[in-house]
């Protein structure tokens, strides 16, 4: 145990000595104030870590001692959220230690394991069935946290920051509040997400004071919204009953918009992130993220590329026996799925290994296929084209059999100016198909209309369903806004995989664990056994059946599966399930409300969007 702590401290100590942050600009409206606030926050974090260690050391056979430790952890987490915006932005590697996920993380491609550590791991241990048995592990975690907290002041050694960086750290924290904190993402069992949201909001209000003081008229709308948010959060602190929709539409999303306008008028906008689009009003805006799979720069060329991809999508001559197109399995009328448990393969009387997912919003992932085995849409298309079970295409014959068709001539010339048709092949075909797939996802569902201001777009029960989805039911801790998939906020630079313990069928009285090992087939790490990508639930009401094997026929069965605690909750032998095995205790009406919310995520019909030929 001591060795583990020593290694952690040594690594952090190296970071302290080597860190130096700098950026453009030389303004200093709030730098001194922010640094003073951070130092004060660190002092409080040290104090609450000391109290947490004492509480953990005092755990005994009396259950009251465990409750005391849990309360100390809540206090420690609240104090951390006062400085989280700063540590997450300026010291991201250290933040991973303080508040990392309570599971083993696999670093790819080196396949190094990162042990669970920090506040989330302490929470997990404090909610084990036999907490006393894990006391020694708790003490190791708490001692490491306390030692690290005491060294946090050293993080400021040699640091150089500016106002633009501070304001960007605030902007990113606002996204974190909107997408993660209110869902209880990093404290699912403590259910302290709303009180932590209040602490984070108070911290941001404090950091922004110098900017408001220097620009009183300009800052009034934002300051008023932040104050209103604090009042609302103070008055509504119960996690399960918290009205997230009201909080978002009245405060959180307007705050993001006003903040963007405020920083822009100050001339202090910087964007160090690869995917966030600061020109978008808020994170639920359709243009909230930069499209990292963009094609071309010229709008005429881009349109031609999409049109070429659309035409290829329905062309059966892409397949080896000219019997199958992309649309055979990804049917526009079925929201680019096929409503089958598993699609037929090209081999007679056989089916594909996994369920055919929708292509809508597929671009908003950092990996493709259920096991995430390729990095982008083009690689996925290439893989499907050559797969003997799916399309059995022939790369050598693609040019002559498909791309030199007269109907493609004009589109190809516009899409690939300066290239000879004879030189085109799978790379260009994949690029065109990816361009088409990229724009499948309109974000025009009733939910999107409601968030955009149409208060009649959702029923009260659909609003209730959203609140449950992002709260008590914990769906939003894996299906992250705004695409409700595995794209992790606030930077959206990671697509997560989860181990759920999915059964072979939906008879939960006699469950049987599916034998598909998922990502483990790619990387032989035990923590990847049964790991699959989390798909979008946008349009889920139209894309049954569900899960990687299509085993759950209805949304009601999906909700029931999660309500029971996944495979482990069904007593299946799931060794490293990332989903909590604890029952959610949803009532029948609550489950129905969640389904009603999922139905509200249905976009307008694809055939009305000119997706079919």
């Amino acid at each position: 145990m001591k060795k583990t702590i020593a290694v952690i401290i040594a690594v952090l100590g190296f970071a302290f000595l080597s860190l130096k942050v700098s950026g453009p600009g030389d303004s200093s409206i709030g730098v001194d104030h922010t640094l003073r606030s951070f130092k004060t926050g660190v002092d409080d974090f040290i104090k609450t870590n000391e109290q947490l260690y004492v509480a953990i050391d005092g755990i005994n056979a009396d259950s009251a001692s465990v409750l005391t430790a849990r309360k100390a952890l809540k206090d420690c987490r609240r104090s951390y959220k006062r400085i989280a915006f700063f540590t997450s932005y300026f010291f991201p590697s250290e933040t991973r230690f303080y508040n990392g996920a309570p599971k083993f993380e696999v670093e790819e491609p080196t396949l190094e394991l990162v042990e669970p550590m920090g506040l989330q791991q302490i929470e997990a241990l404090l909610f084990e069935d036999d907490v006393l048995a894990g006391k020694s592990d708790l003490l190791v975690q708490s001692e490491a946290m306390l030692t690290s907290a005491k060294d946090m002041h050293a993080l400021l050694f040699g640091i150089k920051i500016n106002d633009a960086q501070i304001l960007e750290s605030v902007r990113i924290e606002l996204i974190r509040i909107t997408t993660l904190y209110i869902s209880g993402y990093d404290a699912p069992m403590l259910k302290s997400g709303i009180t932590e949201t209040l602490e984070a909001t108070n911290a941001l209000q404090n950091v922004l004071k110098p900017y408001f003081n220097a620009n009183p008229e300009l800052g009034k709308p934002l300051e008023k919204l932040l104050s209103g948010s604090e009042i609302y959060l103070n008055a509504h602190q119960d996690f399960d009953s918290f009205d997230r929709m009201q909080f978002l539409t009245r405060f959180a999303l307007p705050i993001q918009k006003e903040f963007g306008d405020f920083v822009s008028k100050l001339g202090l906008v910087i964007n160090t992130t690869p995917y966030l689009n600061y020109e978008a009003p808020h994170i639920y805006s359709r243009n909230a993220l930069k499209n990292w799979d963009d094609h071309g720069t010229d709008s005429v060329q881009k349109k031609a590329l999409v049109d070429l991809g659309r035409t290829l999508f329905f062309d059966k001559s892409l397949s080896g026996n000219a019997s199958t197109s992309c649309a055979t399995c990804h049917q526009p009328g079925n929201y680019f799925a096929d409503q089958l448990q598993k699609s037929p393969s090209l081999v007679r009387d056989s089916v594909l290994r996994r369920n055919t997912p929708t292509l809508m919003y597929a671009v908003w992932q950092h990996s493709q296929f259920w096991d995430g085995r390729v990095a982008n849409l083009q690689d996925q298309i290439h893989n499907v084209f050559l797969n003997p079970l799916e399309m059995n295409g022939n790369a050598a014959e693609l040019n002559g059999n498909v791309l030199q068709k007269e109907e493609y001539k004009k589109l190809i010339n516009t899409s690939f100016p300066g290239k000879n048709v004879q030189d085109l092949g799978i790379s260009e075909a994949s690029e065109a198909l990816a361009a088409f797939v990229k724009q499948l996802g309109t974000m025009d569902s009733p939910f999107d209309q409601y968030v955009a201001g149409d208060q009649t777009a959702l029923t009260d029960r659909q609003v209730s369903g959203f609140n449950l989805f992002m709260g008590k039911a914990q769906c939003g801790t894996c299906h992250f806004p705004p695409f409700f998939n595995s794209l992790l906020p606030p930077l959206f630079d990671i697509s997560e995989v989860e181990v759920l313990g999915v059964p072979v069928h939906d008879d939960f009285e006699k469950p049987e664990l599916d034998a598909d090992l998922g990502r483990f087939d790619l990387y032989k790490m035990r923590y990847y056994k049964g790991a699959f990508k989390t798909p979008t639930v946008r349009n889920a009401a139209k894309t049954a059946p569900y899960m990687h094997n299509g085993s759950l026929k209805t949304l009601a069965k999906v909700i029931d599966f999660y309500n029971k605690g996944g495979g482990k909750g069904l007593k299946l032998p799931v060794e490293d399930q990332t989903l909590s095995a604890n029952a959610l205790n949803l009532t029948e009406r609550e489950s129905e409300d969640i389904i009603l919310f999922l139905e509200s995520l249905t976009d307008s019909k694809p055939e009305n969007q000119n997706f079919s030929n």
Side-chain angles (χ1 to χ4, degrees):
M1 295 180 203
K2 294 291 184 182
K3 183 179 179 182
T4 300
I5 295 173
V7 170
I8 292 170
I9 294 170
V11 170
L12 292 177
F14 177 77
F16 297 159
L17 294 174
S18 62
L19 177 70
K20 187 164 185 176
V21 181
S22 61
D26 57 0
S27 56
S28 57
I29 301 170
V31 170
D32 291 342
H33 174 76
T34 298
L35 291 175
R36 284 195 301 270
S37 297
F38 176 71
K39 291 173 183 177
T40 301
V42 168
D43 289 338
D44 187 56
F45 188 50
I46 293 170
K47 180 180 177 182
T48 56
N49 266 285
E50 290 171 339
Q51 293 167 345
L52 176 60
Y53 185 84
V54 170
I56 289 174
D57 193 38
I59 289 175
N60 53 49
D62 186 352
S63 60
S65 66
V66 175
L67 296 178
T68 298
R70 290 176 183 174
K71 182 183 181 304
L73 177 60
K74 282 186 178 181
D75 293 338
C76 191
R77 287 194 58 84
R78 285 200 296 269
S79 70
Y80 177 69
K81 288 301 172 78
R82 296 175 202 138
I83 57 175
F85 78 96
F86 192 92
T87 59
S88 298
Y89 184 85
F90 292 105
F91 316 117
S93 59
E94 288 74 26
T95 297
R96 184 174 182 176
F97 166 71
Y98 301 134
N99 199 31
K103 61 182 181 180
F104 279 89
E105 300 278 3
V106 181
E107 293 282 0
E108 296 180 13
T110 61
L111 301 186
E112 293 180 17
L113 279 178
V114 179
E115 291 187 50
M117 60 185 78
L119 295 171
Q120 292 190 56
Q121 177 63 2
I122 291 173
E123 180 198 37
L125 293 170
L126 280 175
F127 280 84
E128 292 283 356
D129 292 336
D130 188 351
V131 176
L132 186 58
K135 180 176 176 177
S136 59
D137 289 339
L138 276 164
L139 286 171
V140 168
Q141 290 284 338
S142 184
E143 183 180 351
M145 281 290 296
L146 177 56
T147 303
S148 176
K150 288 180 177 178
D151 283 337
M152 284 182 78
H153 284 297
L155 288 169
L156 300 177
F157 177 76
I159 194 171
K160 181 180 179 182
I161 66 175
N162 59 47
D163 287 318
Q165 291 172 315
I166 292 169
L167 292 172
E168 186 178 33
S169 73
V170 170
R171 188 194 296 265
I172 294 171
E173 182 76 350
L174 289 172
I175 297 173
R176 204 175 278 114
I177 286 171
T178 305
T179 56
L180 297 181
Y181 291 179
I182 64 172
S183 75
Y185 170 74
D186 50 356
M189 289 167 283
L190 285 173
K191 292 194 172 184
S192 53
I194 308 307
T195 55
E196 291 178 23
T197 297
L198 175 60
E199 295 293 349
T201 304
N202 287 338
L204 299 188
Q205 175 85 305
N206 173 56
V207 165
L208 291 172
K209 278 181 181 177
Y211 303 96
F212 292 151
N213 292 338
N215 306 272
E217 289 302 314
L218 193 61
K220 268 185 182 179
L222 178 57
E223 193 170 14
K224 183 178 179 180
L225 281 168
L226 284 167
S227 297
S229 176
E230 290 171 343
I231 293 170
Y232 187 85
L233 289 165
N234 259 314
H236 305 86
Q237 295 198 9
D238 180 70
F239 183 84
D240 284 349
S241 65
F242 185 72
D243 192 334
R244 290 159 178 82
M245 182 67 84
Q246 188 174 67
F247 175 70
L248 286 176
T249 54
R250 283 184 59 189
F251 301 109
L253 300 185
I255 284 172
Q256 285 188 26
K257 182 181 183 305
E258 285 295 337
F259 181 84
D261 293 343
F262 180 66
V263 176
S264 179
K265 290 172 183 175
L266 292 181
L268 290 172
V269 176
I270 59 168
N271 190 343
T272 63
T273 73
Y275 306 120
L276 292 174
N277 175 22
Y278 293 164
E279 294 182 3
H282 54 70
I283 201 59
Y284 280 98
S285 303
R286 190 179 178 191
N287 63 335
L289 301 186
K290 305 171 191 174
N291 196 324
W292 54 76
D293 201 17
D294 204 2
H295 297 275
T297 55
D298 178 79
S299 59
V300 175
Q301 180 185 353
K302 195 180 299 185
K303 183 181 183 304
L305 194 64
V306 170
D307 289 341
L308 175 60
R310 178 186 289 108
T311 310
L312 286 168
F313 192 84
F314 295 92
D315 192 339
K316 292 184 178 181
S317 64
L318 281 174
S319 63
N321 61 4
S323 67
T324 303
S325 72
C326 304
T328 301
C329 296
H330 297 284
Q331 302 161 2
N334 288 318
Y335 286 77
F336 291 90
D338 62 3
Q339 297 188 333
L340 299 174
Q341 182 174 358
K342 295 178 181 178
S343 304
S345 82
L346 290 186
V347 176
R348 190 174 180 178
D349 298 325
S350 70
V351 295
L352 298 179
R353 185 181 180 190
R354 294 170 182 152
N355 174 260
T356 299
T358 178
L359 290 181
M360 299 186 78
Y361 302 98
V363 68
W364 302 111
Q365 295 273 28
H366 287 291
S367 60
Q368 301 298 334
F369 292 112
W370 279 104
D371 55 14
R373 64 182 179 271
V374 300
N376 54 54
L377 286 172
Q378 285 182 240
D379 287 347
Q380 181 190 38
I381 291 163
H382 197 153
N383 188 296
V384 170
F385 173 75
L386 295 176
N387 190 322
L389 298 180
E390 296 188 73
M391 296 196 77
N392 196 28
N394 188 313
E397 297 176 1
L398 175 64
N399 185 282
N401 291 345
V402 181
L403 299 181
Q404 292 200 43
K405 289 181 179 180
E406 184 63 29
E407 63 192 275
Y408 289 134
K409 185 175 181 180
K410 183 177 179 181
L411 289 174
I412 285 178
N413 288 337
T414 307
S415 299
F416 303 104
K419 288 189 177 182
N420 294 322
V421 176
Q422 292 81 0
D423 297 331
L424 305 185
I426 183 60
S427 176
E428 289 76 16
S430 297
E431 183 179 351
L433 283 163
F436 170 65
V437 172
K438 184 193 71 176
Q439 42 87 65
L440 300 180
T442 54
M443 292 184 73
D444 64 354
S445 69
F447 169 80
D448 296 300
Q449 295 170 36
Y450 188 96
V451 170
D454 182 358
Q455 299 294 297
T456 67
L458 297 182
T459 66
D460 290 343
R461 293 193 65 181
Q462 286 175 323
V463 171
S464 168
F466 171 78
N467 288 330
L468 288 161
F469 184 97
M470 290 295 291
K472 179 181 177 181
Q474 299 181 6
C475 314
T477 61
C478 289
H479 294 276
F480 305 114
F483 302 111
F484 300 106
N485 63 5
S486 67
L487 202 56
L488 180 63
L491 300 181
F492 302 95
D493 54 349
I494 296 172
S495 286
E496 294 196 331
V497 295
E498 303 290 345
V499 179
L500 306 177
V502 175
V504 174
H505 49 71
D506 58 8
D507 180 0
F508 297 156
E509 297 301 316
K510 301 176 181 178
E512 179 184 349
L513 185 64
D514 188 88
D516 192 336
L517 295 179
R519 198 162 178 79
F520 181 81
D521 289 341
L522 304 175
Y523 302 105
K524 304 299 182 183
M525 306 290 289
R526 58 170 277 194
Y527 303 102
Y528 275 159
K529 283 185 178 179
F532 294 92
K533 191 173 66 173
T534 302
T536 181
V537 292
R538 284 182 174 271
N539 300 302
K542 301 293 185 180
T543 56
Y546 306 101
M547 303 300 183
H548 70 272
N549 57 1
S551 62
L552 306 186
K553 299 181 184 68
T554 66
L555 286 174
K557 276 294 184 181
V558 173
I559 302 301
D560 192 28
F561 173 73
Y562 287 116
N563 199 20
K564 286 178 164 60
K568 208 166 186 178
L570 293 172
K571 309 304 181 186
L572 292 173
V574 190
E575 190 174 2
D576 295 293
Q577 182 169 302
T578 55
L579 173 73
S580 171
N582 296 327
L584 295 172
N585 298 314
L586 297 171
T587 67
E588 184 177 344
R589 183 178 176 87
E590 287 174 334
S591 296
E592 291 171 354
D593 286 355
I594 294 170
I595 293 171
L596 290 171
F597 161 64
L598 293 172
E599 291 173 352
S600 81
L601 288 174
T602 303
D603 289 319
S604 58
K605 292 182 178 180
E607 57 262 36
N608 296 336
Q609 300 167 8
N610 194 31
F611 288 155
S612 57
N613 60 355

